[in-house]
Amino acid sequence: MIIMFCLIAVTNTLIAATRNRRREFGLLRLTASTWPQVLGVVAVESRASAGIAVVSARSRPR
């Protein structure tokens, strides 16, 4: 149950963070980054956030 809650919370956080960073993504595009590179950065950050959330949820005392 707690893992599902954490999953929903992390998903909502990632969506909000991505929407708030539209300007940064535009600046990356202006500095000659391709869309696959920008999406790669987002994917790496998302995986890192999700991994930290899973580790945090699993390491809580029972």
Side-chain angles (χ1 to χ4, degrees):
M1 182 74 174
I2 190 75
I3 292 176
M4 288 301 293
F5 175 77
C6 288
L7 179 64
I8 292 169
V10 168
T11 302
N12 287 337
T13 302
L14 290 174
I15 290 170
T18 302
R19 287 189 179 178
N20 290 335
R21 294 176 61 197
R22 289 185 66 155
R23 179 182 167 131
E24 181 182 336
F25 298 147
L27 289 173
L28 284 172
R29 289 286 294 138
L30 285 173
T31 58
S33 296
T34 63
W35 275 119
Q37 289 172 329
V38 173
L39 292 176
V41 168
V42 172
V44 169
E45 291 174 356
S46 298
R47 287 185 190 130
S49 296
I52 291 169
V54 169
V55 168
S56 297
R58 292 184 60 112
S59 66
R60 71 174 181 83
R62 294 182 189 228

